[in-house]
């Protein structure tokens, strides 16, 4: 391949579609499969129940309209109907907060606050203003609704209808300008000379004293002094308000130019800063309402707060500074009787999570659980920026939460009085979305206990014990229980079967019940093709680890001994699973490749989700290390076991997958002969802070990690044929990143690469024409480079 000019690229664009079809032996076409939902079908999503449990609501679009609409399935009628705009407008929000008895629900909709009485279905609108009200929650022993409007906290009394303002947040306190010496002498001289001025001042002073007496009956003005305020919450007994202040640092942002615009002018989009931000400062305050005072919650006693990261040992003589490691503070979360509250705190270097008991009167905390990872804290239900899954047990003394203490995310309880920790689940699998049943006697959650790529719904006794599997369809079972928990609405999919909505009685109430399919979403054209079910395999990595992958094999009569490895994006994401893929276009493209004789391998490399903490953090301080060697070991597996020609292996992927593709083409040039890098990171120092600083720390503190992880430093290793594809208005992985890499390749004298740009596309492509052009080029790349077609 030769580096092409813009004119040559335009000519290639014009002929690429016809060229692809000339060499395509599949019944599928690239243009067809890249229509996305219009070809597959618009699948049901956002499933939820009516409060009486008689209706299932979900978003759907069987008519191929401009966007999804709300549909309903009646359990009595057993029919699906489209919900009218008027009906939808007045339906209660799916989000919100219940009281402990769950007979009342408060929620926000259209920027106003509502209260619903569940038994009678009566809805009371609490506010009706142009202002946006939010964060509605019960307080005052559940006799009041608290909510936030214009930063301030208000309460509404359910019985009397009285609205009361609880806080008065102001930006700055106005300071009376002091008089200098000259003006002070003149002021005092005027008062001494004129009776009328003295009398007026005396009346003014009296008014101010009277006003201060009245002000003492009003909320205390709280001055933020340039800080933002979040998470305003009143205690159940209404004695205290907690609020989180954030001093946001001025980190320089970046600009993404838009060249194809309605105005005809280039328009600049201001976007994120690069990694290495100065951390924001978080402080949780308590407002003592009765005593009219505020004070910060003291966190100096957090365990391990003075931790010095291990990686700093690689920089002897270099001072490490992180004087305030406190990151986001979630909570407080109160128990049912309002006597205890816990906070969930993250460090700003992402390596610690603290769960603490709040002494709100004193503004102090007691350590309950400290989670630490020398790489970074994350995992299902654990969080890593804001708080994770956390709540109170029915006894009001113990809390429950998730932790990777054993290497996998599991469910724990901890007694806040004696600090006794109990593991409710254990094993080489992970727990997702736990919740306590209505009767407080059992748990519901999803787990991948059977296989990392198979998620089933379970129940378990409240204090742990045998897990009862409630679903039985292999794949992904995303369950939403009815309000009485007797029915399960299941969004189910398998590897070659897109997501559909099913209904099944809860086996805890009705044994041997089968799931009934409710929706049929796939199109006639999609159903004409026999979609392939990949084989689920494991192979050994060079360090002995078992790597999970999806394998697509062609029939022997068309097998061309060439192979393509697909690299999923996000890093922490799972794709070698048994359900309908987020990368469904790529899945369909793999079917097309197999029809053309290619073998395709889709690997859950190091850093992927679903396999525990060690796998998740296997890329710490070296992206392009084990995550890349897993791809190489996958190629070796195919050569040794599947008859693949070692000179006919290509690789492609988007985002993180594009990054790995670049690293593969630069650092493993003898393994991969062709690569297509889509919306790729070329230099991690140019990516965002929240994602990158977890894995590589920051460029200023850990430059070695960035140097060994960024493709731009290895571009000289390019030997095979490289295709770079990128949206020009990508505000996630900026187009500038690939422009810089292009300049590097030019200066290195490389001519075996080309670049296709998409002027109107962001990180996630939208236009079918862009998808079609992109994958036509990728198909042509592999045919030309691997098969010499």
């Amino acid at each position: 391949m030769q580096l092409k000019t813009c004119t040559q690229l335009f000519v290639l664009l014009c002929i690429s579609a016809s060229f692809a079809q000339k060499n395509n032996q599949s019944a599928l076409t690239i243009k067809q499969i890249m229509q996305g939902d219009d070809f597959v079908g618009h699948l049901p999503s956002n499933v939820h129940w009516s409060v009486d449990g008689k209706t299932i609501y979900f978003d759907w679009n069987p008519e191929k309209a401009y966007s999804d609409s709300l549909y309903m399935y009646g359990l009595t009628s057993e029919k699906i109907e489209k919900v009218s705009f008027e009906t939808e407008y007045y339906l209660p929000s799916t989000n919100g907060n219940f009281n402990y008895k769950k007979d009342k629900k408060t929620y926000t909709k259209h920027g106003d606050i509502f209260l619903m009485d569940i038994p009678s279905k009566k809805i009371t609108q609490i506010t009706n203003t142009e202002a946006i009200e939010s964060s509605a929650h019960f307080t005052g022993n559940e006799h009041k609704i608290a909510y936030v409007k214009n930063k301030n906290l208000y309460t509404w009394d359910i019985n009397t209808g009285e609205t009361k303002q609880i806080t008065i947040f102001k930006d700055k306190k106005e300071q009376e300008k002091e008089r200098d010496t000259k003006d002070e002498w003149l002021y005092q001289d005027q008062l001494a000379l004129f009776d009328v001025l003295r009398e007026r001042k005396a009346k003014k002073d009296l008014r101010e004293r009277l006003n201060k007496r009245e002000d003492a009956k009003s909320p205390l003005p709280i001055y933020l002094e340039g800080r933002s305020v979040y998470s305003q919450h009143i205690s159940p007994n209404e004695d205290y308000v907690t609020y989180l202040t954030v001093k946001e640092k001025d980190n320089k942002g970046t600009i993404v130019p838009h060249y194809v615009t309605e105005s005809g002018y280039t328009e600049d989009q201001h976007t994120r800063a690069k990694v290495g931000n100065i951390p924001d400062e978080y402080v949780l305050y308590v407002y003592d309402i009765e005593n009219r005072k505020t004070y910060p919650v003291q966190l100096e006693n957090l365990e391990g707060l003075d931790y010095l990261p291990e990686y700093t040992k690689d920089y002897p003589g270099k001072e490490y500074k992180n004087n305030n490691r406190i990151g986001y503070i979630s909570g407080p979360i109160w128990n049912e009787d309002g006597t205890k509250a816990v906070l969930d705190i993250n460090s700003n270097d992402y390596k610690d999570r603290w769960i603490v008991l709040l002494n709100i009167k004193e503004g102090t905390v007691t350590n309950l659980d400290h989670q630490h990872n020398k790489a970074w804290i994350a995992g299902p239900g654990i969080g890593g920026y804001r708080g994770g899954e956390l709540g109170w047990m029915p006894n009001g003394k113990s809390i429950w939460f998730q932790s990777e203490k054993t290497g996998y995310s599991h469910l724990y309880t901890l007694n806040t009085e004696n600090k006794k920790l109990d593991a409710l689940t254990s094993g080489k699998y992970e727990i997702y979305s736990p919740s306590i049943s209505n009767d407080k006697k059992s748990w519901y959650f999803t787990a991948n206990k059977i296989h990392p790529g198979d998620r089933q719904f379970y129940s378990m006794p409240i204090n742990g014990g045998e897990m009862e599997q409630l679903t039985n369809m292999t794949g992904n079972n995303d369950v939403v229980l009815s309000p009485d928990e007797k029915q399960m609405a299941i969004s189910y999919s398998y590897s070659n079967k897109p997501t559909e909505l099913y209904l099944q009685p809860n086996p805890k109430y009705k044994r041997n019940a089968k799931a009934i399919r409710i929706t049929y979403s796939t199109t006639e054209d999609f159903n004409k093709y026999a979609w392939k079910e990949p084989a689920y395999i494991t192979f050994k990595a060079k360090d002995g680890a078992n790597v999970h992958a999806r394998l697509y094999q062609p029939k022997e009569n068309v097998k061309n001994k060439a192979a393509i490895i697909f690299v999923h994006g996000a890093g922490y994401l799972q794709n070698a699973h048994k359900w309908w893929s987020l990368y469904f276009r790529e899945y369909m493209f793999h079917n097309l490749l197999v029809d053309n004789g290619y073998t395709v391998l889709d690997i859950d490399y190091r850093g992927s989700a679903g396999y525990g903490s060690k796998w998740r953090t296997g890329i710490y301080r070296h992206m392009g290390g084990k995550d890349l060697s897993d791809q190489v070991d996958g190629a070796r597996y195919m050569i040794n076991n599947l008859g693949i020609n070692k000179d006919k292996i290509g690789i492609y992927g988007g985002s993180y997958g594009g990054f790995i593709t670049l690293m593969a083409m630069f650092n493993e040039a003898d393994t991969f002969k062709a690569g297509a890098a889509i919306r790729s990171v070329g230099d991690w120092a140019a990516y965002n802070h929240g994602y990158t600083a977890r894995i590589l720390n920051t460029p200023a503190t850990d430059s070695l990690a960035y140097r060994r992880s960024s493709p731009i430093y290895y571009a000289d290793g390019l030997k095979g044929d490289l295709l770079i594809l990128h949206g020009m208005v990508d505000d996630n992985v900026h187009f500038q990143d690939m422009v810089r890499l292009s300049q590097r390749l030019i200066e290195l004298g490389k001519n075996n690469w080309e670049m296709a740009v998409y002027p109107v596309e962001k990180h996630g492509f939208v236009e079918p024409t862009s998808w079609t052009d992109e994958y036509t080029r990728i198909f042509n790349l592999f045919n030309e480079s691997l098969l010499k077609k």
Side-chain angles (χ1 to χ4, degrees):
M1 296 172 70
Q2 298 294 318
L3 177 61
K4 295 178 173 61
T5 64
C6 292
T7 303
Q8 288 173 308
L9 284 174
F10 179 75
V11 172
L12 178 62
L13 174 61
C14 295
I15 66 173
S16 60
S18 60
F19 181 71
Q21 278 310 108
K22 181 181 177 180
N23 291 287
N24 179 17
Q25 305 303 314
S26 175
L28 300 168
T29 69
I30 293 175
K31 182 177 181 180
Q32 182 184 43
I33 62 179
M34 292 304 156
Q35 302 306 304
D37 291 337
D38 283 346
F39 172 63
V40 175
H42 294 261
L43 310 179
S45 62
N46 299 324
V47 177
H48 57 281
W49 288 86
S50 62
V51 293
D52 61 6
K54 296 180 179 180
T55 305
I56 303 174
Y57 292 102
F58 55 97
D59 293 335
W60 203 30
N61 187 6
E63 302 169 344
K64 290 187 179 181
Y66 177 73
S67 62
D68 288 1
S69 298
L70 186 67
Y71 282 76
M72 58 182 287
Y73 174 82
L75 270 64
T76 302
S77 67
E78 298 183 350
K79 292 182 180 179
I80 294 177
E81 298 178 61
K82 188 174 183 179
V83 179
S84 69
F85 169 79
E86 288 295 322
T87 300
E88 181 180 359
Y89 187 86
Y90 292 105
L91 283 176
S93 171
T94 56
N95 299 315
N97 289 297
F98 288 91
N99 62 353
Y100 285 107
K101 291 182 179 180
K102 288 194 173 182
D103 61 357
K104 289 183 174 61
K105 177 183 178 181
T106 182
Y107 59 90
T108 302
K109 192 169 185 179
H110 314 306
D112 290 311
I113 307 298
F114 296 81
L115 173 66
M116 182 176 190
D117 181 77
I118 304 299
S120 67
K121 300 182 188 178
K122 180 184 177 183
I123 296 175
T124 302
Q125 184 165 354
I126 298 172
T127 65
N128 188 359
T129 69
E130 288 187 0
I132 296 176
E133 288 94 11
S134 62
S135 305
H137 56 278
F138 288 95
T139 189
N141 297 320
E142 301 194 334
H143 294 148
K144 296 180 181 179
I145 306 294
Y147 61 90
V148 174
K149 180 174 73 171
N150 296 329
K151 297 182 182 179
N152 287 303
L153 194 66
Y154 294 78
T155 60
W156 179 81
D157 192 297
I158 295 174
N159 296 319
T160 67
E162 178 189 8
T163 298
K164 182 179 180 181
Q165 184 169 348
I166 305 301
T167 62
I168 300 177
F169 288 108
K170 294 185 176 182
D171 187 24
K172 291 182 180 181
K173 187 174 183 179
E174 295 182 3
Q175 300 290 340
E176 186 175 339
K177 187 177 179 181
E178 292 187 7
R179 293 180 287 272
D180 60 22
T181 305
K182 179 185 70 173
D183 289 343
E184 179 65 23
W185 181 90
L186 183 60
Y187 172 76
Q188 295 296 340
D189 189 58
Q190 290 292 96
L191 291 176
L193 284 173
F194 301 105
D195 294 340
V196 66
L197 294 182
R198 287 196 304 275
E199 291 172 2
R200 288 180 178 180
K201 181 179 183 306
K203 291 178 180 179
K204 178 184 175 184
D205 292 344
L206 178 60
R207 280 198 306 271
E208 289 179 352
R209 287 195 296 271
L210 292 174
N211 288 340
K212 286 182 178 180
R213 290 171 60 186
E214 292 180 1
D215 289 344
K217 300 297 183 181
S218 301
L220 174 72
I222 301 173
Y223 299 98
L224 297 171
E225 301 296 337
R227 292 175 173 264
S228 300
V229 61
Y230 300 99
S231 194
Q232 303 91 319
H233 199 286
I234 190 167
S235 63
N237 61 10
E238 298 186 89
D239 288 341
Y240 302 95
V241 170
T242 54
Y243 58 96
L244 182 66
T245 67
V246 184
K247 186 176 182 181
E248 297 170 347
K249 299 298 183 178
D250 186 16
N251 293 294
K252 183 179 180 180
T254 50
I255 294 173
V256 174
H258 290 237
Y259 293 96
V260 180
T261 63
E262 293 181 8
S263 68
Y265 292 88
T266 300
E267 299 173 4
D268 290 339
Q269 177 187 354
H270 295 270
T271 65
R272 61 165 174 81
K274 299 180 189 293
V275 62
N277 289 357
I278 302 171
D280 294 337
E281 293 180 7
Y282 295 89
V283 180
L284 183 69
Y285 281 89
V286 176
Y287 166 37
D288 183 335
I289 297 174
E290 182 179 357
N291 295 307
R292 290 174 54 80
K293 63 179 182 178
T294 64
Y295 45 91
V297 176
Q298 302 298 319
L299 301 176
E300 291 82 359
N301 66 325
L302 294 180
E303 296 173 352
L305 189 60
D306 58 351
Y307 165 74
L308 184 66
E310 283 87 342
Y311 74 85
T312 58
K313 296 175 183 177
D314 290 346
Y315 304 93
K318 183 179 180 180
E319 185 181 7
Y320 175 80
K321 290 184 178 180
N322 189 357
N323 297 327
N324 179 10
R325 293 185 63 231
I326 302 299
Y328 196 85
I329 305 170
S330 297
I333 301 168
W334 292 89
N335 63 357
E336 184 172 348
D337 61 13
T339 57
K340 294 183 178 182
V342 291
L343 304 175
D344 192 351
I345 306 169
N346 291 282
S347 63
N348 60 22
D349 59 9
Y350 312 109
K351 300 181 188 301
D352 291 271
R353 178 193 184 194
W354 297 275
I355 300 174
V356 299
L357 190 67
L358 173 65
N359 181 338
I360 198 166
K361 184 177 181 180
E362 304 298 330
T364 59
V365 298
T366 302
N367 288 282
L368 294 176
D369 184 75
H370 176 208
Q371 299 174 28
H372 173 76
N373 193 307
K374 69 177 183 179
W376 73 98
I377 289 285
I382 295 171
Y385 174 62
R386 296 179 184 270
E389 301 279 0
L390 176 65
W392 286 91
M393 294 292 285
N395 62 17
K397 297 179 181 179
S398 298
I399 57 170
W400 64 265
F401 57 92
Q402 286 182 255
S403 171
E404 285 184 325
K405 186 179 181 67
T406 62
Y408 290 81
S409 181
H410 280 290
L411 189 58
Y412 292 82
T413 62
L414 187 149
N415 188 298
T416 61
E417 296 178 355
N418 60 24
K419 297 188 180 181
K420 184 176 183 294
L421 180 69
D422 290 311
L424 301 188
T425 61
S426 63
K428 293 184 177 181
Y429 60 92
E430 303 206 294
I431 299 295
Y432 304 87
S433 305
S435 64
I436 296 175
S437 63
N438 290 342
D439 62 9
K440 314 293 186 185
K441 295 181 179 179
S442 59
W443 288 96
Y444 289 108
F445 52 77
T446 301
N448 59 352
K449 184 179 181 181
I450 299 172
H451 181 276
D454 181 26
R455 294 191 185 180
Q456 301 292 335
F457 192 60
Y458 294 86
S459 69
M460 182 182 70
I462 192 68
N463 292 317
E466 184 177 352
M467 294 166 54
E468 179 184 0
Q469 185 176 328
L470 303 179
T471 53
N472 54 26
M473 297 182 290
T474 300
N476 185 35
N477 295 267
D478 187 0
V479 174
V480 181
L481 286 167
S482 61
D484 62 5
E485 299 177 350
K486 293 183 178 180
Q487 299 286 340
M488 304 189 301
I490 309 171
S491 296
Y492 168 75
S493 70
Y494 189 60
S495 57
N496 61 350
K497 298 175 182 177
T499 304
E500 299 288 4
L501 181 59
Y502 288 73
L503 175 65
Q504 178 187 325
N506 185 344
K508 289 174 67 68
Y509 296 92
K510 185 178 181 180
R511 296 292 177 182
N512 303 317
K514 293 184 177 181
I516 300 172
R517 182 172 171 179
I518 294 175
T519 61
Y520 292 81
S521 307
T522 51
T523 67
E524 183 178 347
D525 288 339
F526 178 86
N527 294 334
K528 287 178 182 177
Y529 183 83
W531 297 99
K532 297 169 180 60
E533 179 183 344
Y536 296 91
I537 67 165
T538 60
F539 61 85
K540 286 288 183 182
K542 65 180 181 180
D543 62 355
N546 289 317
V547 183
H548 288 261
R550 298 212 290 190
L551 175 66
Y552 303 76
Q553 293 196 78
K555 294 179 180 179
E556 283 298 324
N557 63 326
V558 298
K559 186 173 182 178
N560 56 26
K561 296 187 177 182
I564 307 300
I565 290 180
F566 169 66
V567 190
H568 69 67
Y572 188 64
L573 181 144
Q574 188 175 9
N575 204 49
H577 50 58
K578 298 185 179 183
W579 60 85
W580 187 244
S581 176
L582 171 70
Y583 293 94
F584 66 95
R585 289 182 180 85
E586 289 79 357
Y587 164 78
M588 294 188 290
F589 183 58
H590 297 162
N591 277 258
L592 183 146
L593 288 174
V594 169
D595 289 344
N596 282 277
Y598 289 95
T599 300
V600 180
L601 191 63
D602 177 356
I603 301 171
D604 271 347
Y605 51 86
R606 236 63 68 97
S608 296
Y611 306 96
S613 176
K614 186 176 179 181
W615 200 264
R616 175 179 66 78
T617 61
I619 58 175
Y620 178 57
R621 298 190 70 206
H622 192 184
M623 292 192 274
K626 289 183 179 179
D627 46 356
L628 175 57
S629 64
D630 286 343
Q631 318 297 330
V632 175
D633 292 335
R636 186 177 297 113
Y637 168 84
M638 291 191 290
I639 293 168
N640 294 337
N641 297 279
L642 303 178
I644 296 302
N645 186 324
K646 67 180 181 62
D647 295 321
K648 293 184 177 181
I649 301 178
I651 187 169
Y652 89 101
S655 195
Y656 198 97
F659 150 71
I660 288 292
T661 298
L662 291 176
M663 291 294 267
M665 296 301 294
F666 297 162
N667 289 337
E668 297 291 344
D670 293 334
T671 301
F672 300 102
K673 306 306 176 184
I678 310 167
R679 48 189 175 274
S680 318
V681 174
D683 184 354
W684 286 108
Y687 198 49
N688 71 37
H689 184 86
Y691 180 91
T692 321
R694 284 171 163 78
I695 306 171
L696 301 180
N697 305 304
T698 68
T701 62
D702 197 2
S703 58
L704 292 174
Y706 283 80
R707 176 63 177 78
R708 62 175 163 242
S709 299
S710 296
I712 197 168
Y713 295 109
Y714 302 100
D716 194 34
L718 178 63
K719 294 180 183 178
D721 296 325
L722 172 64
L723 172 62
I724 299 171
L725 310 106
H726 213 100
M728 293 181 72
V729 293
D730 191 333
D731 52 8
N732 182 6
V733 180
H734 295 158
F735 178 56
Q736 180 195 20
D737 205 353
M738 287 301 98
V739 174
R740 293 176 66 241
L741 180 61
S742 299
Q743 180 62 27
R744 180 67 178 149
L745 291 168
I746 291 168
E747 292 182 5
L748 290 169
K750 300 294 181 180
N751 59 10
N752 50 333
W753 65 281
E754 64 184 30
M755 184 173 182
V757 300
Y758 299 88
V760 299
E761 295 292 0
K762 294 188 176 183
H763 196 62
F765 280 21
V766 174
E767 302 300 330
T769 51
S770 299
W771 280 102
T772 300
D773 179 84
E774 185 177 43
Y775 276 81
T776 298
R777 292 178 188 277
I778 295 170
F779 183 72
N780 290 341
L781 166 73
F782 293 143
N783 278 343
E784 292 174 8
S785 297
L786 305 181
L787 304 180
K788 308 304 178 185
K789 287 188 178 182

